[in-house]
Amino acid sequence: MDSFDPTPADRFSFGLWTVGNPGRDPFGLPVRAVQDPTRIVAKLAECGAHGVNLHDEDLVPFGSSAAERDRIVADFKKALSDHGMVVPMATTNLFTQPIFKDGAFTSNDPRVRAFALQKTMRSIDLGVELGAKVYVFWGGREGSEADACRNPMDAGKRMREAMDFLCGYVKDSGYDLRFALEAKPNEPRGDIYLATTGHMLHFISTLENEEMVGVNPEVAHETMAGLSFAHAVAQSMEAGKLFHIDLNGQRIGRYDQDLRFGSEDLKQALLLVRLLEGTAGNAPYTGPLHFDAHAYRTEDDAGVWDFARGCMRTYKILKAKAEAFDADPEVRDIIATRTDAGLDPLLSGGYASDKAAALKEASFDCDAIAAEGLRYERLDQLLVEHLMGVRS
Ligand code: GCO
Ligand code: MN
Ligand code: MN
């Protein structure tokens, strides 16, 4: 035990599909046994997690009878209460069943779109029954390979119709539930619609009930697109739209690796935790910290729990590093906010004609300003030294 061991107060959660991943991939069979969801709850609690998330089918196999569903849900609820675990988030599997081979909400076939709504409403009922406050939408198959199959504008319209309908369903049912949309650029489709968190943020602004809908950015997905994950998260936080987050590890240019959090690009991981925890001064993110990742296929059951503990410990270690970095006097000196008594009033508070006139008249010594070194080499080295543990 040390101070980096997770506790429920840390708000860490894992999907049933993450630690329950049996290690199947497109080229190989499963390498681990399928675990009962109640065992996953017990093991996660033992590791110090606070919550467990699920797709409808992770808990209730597709095609189960109503009686089977009720028995499975009752056993699961008992496991949750026995181990003091909660379900912060739920979601629908709209990608595994063959009927969704060409998407769900964006399918050209009204029968598929209707079935997707039916499955999602039932899954929302299940999530709410288990106490979920956030409902994630990841459009796994909402995309194309033969892109001429549908006008991508129609895909956007159908996605909007589905979200508007489902927001209406949640309101009509009196549920206390918010939606979080998760972007991914590709995989399993050649291209997935609404490919990045930025696309999602704009799409949300077009919805009837936009206040109910935020984002669930994932490290791997933004990184697959070659983009800065911290920037996507910052834009979401600044817009009040970071409702949930999927933490994991990923290298640019690879398939969706969903690796242990912090196992790749530790510097980006540190910058992300710094942002989420607000150690540089911004308001922190206070929602669930969900690890959407799985253990290497080389692992047995013990390795799965090493993986889970690793995700959580790395987050806590990075939080301590971020606090130390932002408390470091040399760092603070380099990034101290520059003030200018004459110019600051002109730059804040919006447009005014007198400010415009003053700015048009102001004189600037462009050469002198451009000649100032900003000391970012030193800043980045300090960050690297904090990360490597030679400075604290
Ligand atoms: C992925 C996705 C999924 C979703 C999950 C919840 O790795 O491709 O992130 O894991 O997050 O299905 O909708
Ligand atoms: Mn995810
Ligand atoms: Mn992923």
Side-chain angles (χ1 to χ4, degrees), residues 218 220-221 248 256 258:
E218 175 174 313
H221 301 175
N248 56 21
D256 184 28
D258 293 337

Side-chain angles (χ1 to χ4, degrees), residues 55 91-96 100-106 136-145 159 182-194 200 221 256:
H55 301 84
T91 181
T92 331
N93 183 325
L94 294 172
F95 43 88
T96 296
F100 298 126
K101 64 189 178 199
D102 190 29
F105 300 137
T106 62
V136 161
F137 289 88
W138 170 59
R141 301 263 176 206
E142 313 288 9
S144 66
E145 292 82 26
M159 190 66 92
E182 177 177 344
K184 184 172 178 179
N186 58 272
E187 195 190 324
R189 301 311 296 271
D191 285 289
I192 297 179
Y193 302 123
L194 300 167
M200 286 299 183
H221 301 175
D256 184 28

Side-chain angles (χ1 to χ4, degrees), residues 29-100:
L29 296 171
V31 294
R32 293 182 288 265
V34 171
Q35 303 175 63
D36 191 87
T38 57
R39 179 186 191 251
I40 294 180
V41 169
K43 292 294 289 183
L44 281 175
E46 191 185 308
C47 289
H50 151 85
V52 58
N53 303 318
L54 50 102
H55 301 84
D56 47 356
E57 290 179 39
D58 298 335
L59 184 61
V60 183
F62 187 74
S64 297
S65 69
E68 278 165 340
R69 178 224 187 253
D70 291 349
R71 181 191 55 75
I72 293 168
V73 173
D75 287 352
F76 190 67
K77 279 183 176 168
K78 179 169 184 309
L80 292 170
S81 90
D82 285 352
H83 298 282
M85 292 277 284
V86 297
V87 174
M89 175 274 259
T91 181
T92 331
N93 183 325
L94 294 172
F95 43 88
T96 296
Q97 298 304 322
I99 185 172
F100 298 126

Side-chain angles (χ1 to χ4, degrees), residues 10-14 245 247 276-277 285 287-291 315:
D10 296 318
R11 317 189 314 278
F12 292 135
S13 61
F14 288 83
I245 191 160
L247 301 168
L276 292 173
E277 297 295 328
Y285 165 74
L289 293 165
H290 174 232
F291 298 102
Y315 187 98

Side-chain angles (χ1 to χ4, degrees), residues 28 68 109 135 250 262 313 317 339 371 376:
E68 278 165 340
D109 186 336
Y135 200 85
Q250 174 75 29
R313 282 181 58 83
I317 295 165
T339 57
Y376 292 168

Side-chain angles (χ1 to χ4, degrees), residues 54-304:
L54 50 102
H55 301 84
D56 47 356
E57 290 179 39
D58 298 335
L59 184 61
V60 183
F62 187 74
S64 297
S65 69
E68 278 165 340
R69 178 224 187 253
D70 291 349
R71 181 191 55 75
I72 293 168
V73 173
D75 287 352
F76 190 67
K77 279 183 176 168
K78 179 169 184 309
L80 292 170
S81 90
D82 285 352
H83 298 282
M85 292 277 284
V86 297
V87 174
M89 175 274 259
T91 181
T92 331
N93 183 325
L94 294 172
F95 43 88
T96 296
Q97 298 304 322
I99 185 172
F100 298 126
K101 64 189 178 199
D102 190 29
F105 300 137
T106 62
S107 165
N108 288 342
D109 186 336
R111 296 169 302 175
V112 176
R113 299 204 298 278
F115 179 64
L117 284 179
Q118 178 194 79
K119 192 173 195 286
T120 303
M121 287 188 287
R122 289 181 179 170
S123 176
I124 287 175
D125 295 344
L126 172 66
V128 170
E129 182 180 347
L130 295 170
K133 295 279 184 286
V134 179
Y135 200 85
V136 161
F137 289 88
W138 170 59
R141 301 263 176 206
E142 313 288 9
S144 66
E145 292 82 26
D147 205 47
C149 70
R150 77 179 69 75
N151 186 326
M153 290 174 72
D154 289 337
K157 288 190 180 106
R158 288 178 191 156
M159 190 66 92
R160 182 177 307 108
E161 272 168 9
M163 288 303 136
D164 286 344
F165 186 94
L166 292 165
C167 283
Y169 177 69
V170 165
K171 282 171 73 171
D172 195 30
S173 308
Y175 291 157
D176 173 20
L177 190 69
R178 300 196 296 177
F179 291 170
L181 310 187
E182 177 177 344
K184 184 172 178 179
N186 58 272
E187 195 190 324
R189 301 311 296 271
D191 285 289
I192 297 179
Y193 302 123
L194 300 167
T196 71
T197 299
H199 291 73
M200 286 299 183
L201 286 169
H202 171 263
F203 172 71
I204 290 166
S205 75
T206 71
L207 298 177
E208 262 172 28
N209 294 283
E210 63 171 300
E211 72 292 343
M212 287 176 64
V213 187
V215 290
N216 177 41
E218 175 174 313
V219 175
H221 301 175
E222 228 64 28
T223 308
M224 285 167 76
L227 300 174
S228 161
F229 185 64
H231 290 190
V233 170
Q235 189 181 351
S236 309
M237 288 173 78
E238 212 262 331
K241 289 296 187 190
L242 188 66
F243 289 4
H244 199 265
I245 191 160
D246 276 359
L247 301 168
N248 56 21
Q250 174 75 29
R251 285 171 66 184
I252 290 179
R254 306 292 164 100
Y255 64 95
D256 184 28
Q257 294 177 295
D258 293 337
L259 298 169
R260 190 180 74 258
F261 179 61
S263 61
E264 299 291 344
D265 204 344
L266 269 175
K267 195 160 99 176
Q268 282 302 312
L270 172 68
L271 291 167
L272 170 65
V273 173
R274 178 181 189 236
L275 185 66
L276 292 173
E277 297 295 328
T279 61
N282 60 280
Y285 165 74
T286 55
L289 293 165
H290 174 232
F291 298 102
D292 186 9
H294 47 78
Y296 302 134
R297 199 162 170 273
T298 50
E299 302 310 288
D300 61 5
D301 184 64
V304 169

